[in-house]
């Protein structure tokens, strides 16, 4: 059975329950979950709205990132989903989860998964500030 249970780039709201359910596995003694949400400030500037855009290759790159994490850690199950489109304060932008035999491995693999996703998957963030200014930020930074 493939340890990569759920991957996706979606324009609909993300579900923590769905991701957590996808990584449930009796071989795992530890499951680590990360949820990234839209915060009200970035670098001290009040944020009004975020919009994420993905390159057509984003899903394939996400799979490669997940496969590498699964190869480098004793992963029993792994899931990662990222939202695209307009998001408001408090909306969930990304969820990753990893289940491993032990908690330390789960924490390490989950951290690696979110860090590599942000570094490698071609998803860009356009943020609008309350003062009317806006900027593009590469999620691959």
């Amino acid at each position: 059975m493939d340890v990569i249970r759920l991957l996706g780039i979606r324009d609909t709201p993300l579900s923590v329950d769905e991701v957590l359910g996808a990584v449930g596995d009796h071989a795992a003694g530890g499951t680590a979950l990360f949820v990234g949400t839209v915060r009200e400030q970035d670098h001290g500037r009040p944020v009004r709205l975020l919009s994420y855009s993905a390159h057509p290759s984003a899903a394939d790159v996400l799979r490669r990132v997940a496969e590498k994490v699964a190869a480098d850690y004793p992963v029993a199950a792994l899931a990662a989903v990222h939202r695209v489109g307009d998001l408001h304060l408090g909306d969930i932008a990304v969820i990753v989860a990893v289940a491993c035999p032990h908690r330390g491995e789960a924490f390490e693999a989950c951290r690696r998964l979110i860090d590599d996703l942000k570094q490698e998957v071609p998803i860009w963030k356009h943020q609008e500030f309350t003062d009317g200014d806006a900027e593009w930020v590469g999620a691959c930074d």
Side-chain angles (χ1 to χ4, degrees):
M1 185 167 151
D2 189 7
V3 300
I4 300 173
R5 306 279 175 81
L6 174 66
L7 294 177
I9 309 292
R10 299 178 177 172
D11 62 359
T12 56
L14 305 180
S15 166
V16 171
D17 289 339
E18 178 192 20
V19 172
L20 192 56
V23 297
D25 195 287
H26 293 297
T31 300
L33 176 85
F34 172 81
V35 179
T37 56
V38 178
R39 63 182 175 264
E40 66 182 356
Q41 291 197 13
D42 190 25
H43 302 291
R45 298 178 69 193
V47 173
R48 184 182 77 77
L49 175 77
L50 294 184
S51 183
Y52 285 95
S53 301
H55 188 273
S57 69
D60 293 333
V61 176
L62 178 57
R63 175 155 293 278
R64 286 195 299 272
V65 165
E67 288 170 346
K68 182 78 168 107
V69 170
D72 290 349
Y73 293 90
V75 172
L78 177 151
V81 289
H82 200 296
R83 180 118 180 247
V84 293
D86 292 343
L87 283 79
H88 296 89
L89 297 180
D91 285 349
I92 297 173
V94 62
I95 307 170
V96 301
V98 180
C100 291
H102 302 283
R103 71 177 175 272
E105 299 159 339
F107 280 126
E108 289 175 26
C110 188
R111 173 74 184 246
R112 167 87 174 281
L113 179 58
I114 188 61
D115 287 350
D116 288 0
L117 183 159
K118 297 297 281 181
Q119 183 67 33
E120 298 177 31
V121 179
I123 297 173
W124 303 280
K125 174 174 63 175
H126 184 252
Q127 42 189 18
E128 296 178 18
F129 299 98
T130 58
D131 64 5
D133 196 16
E135 70 179 359
W136 283 96
V137 179
C140 303
D141 52 29

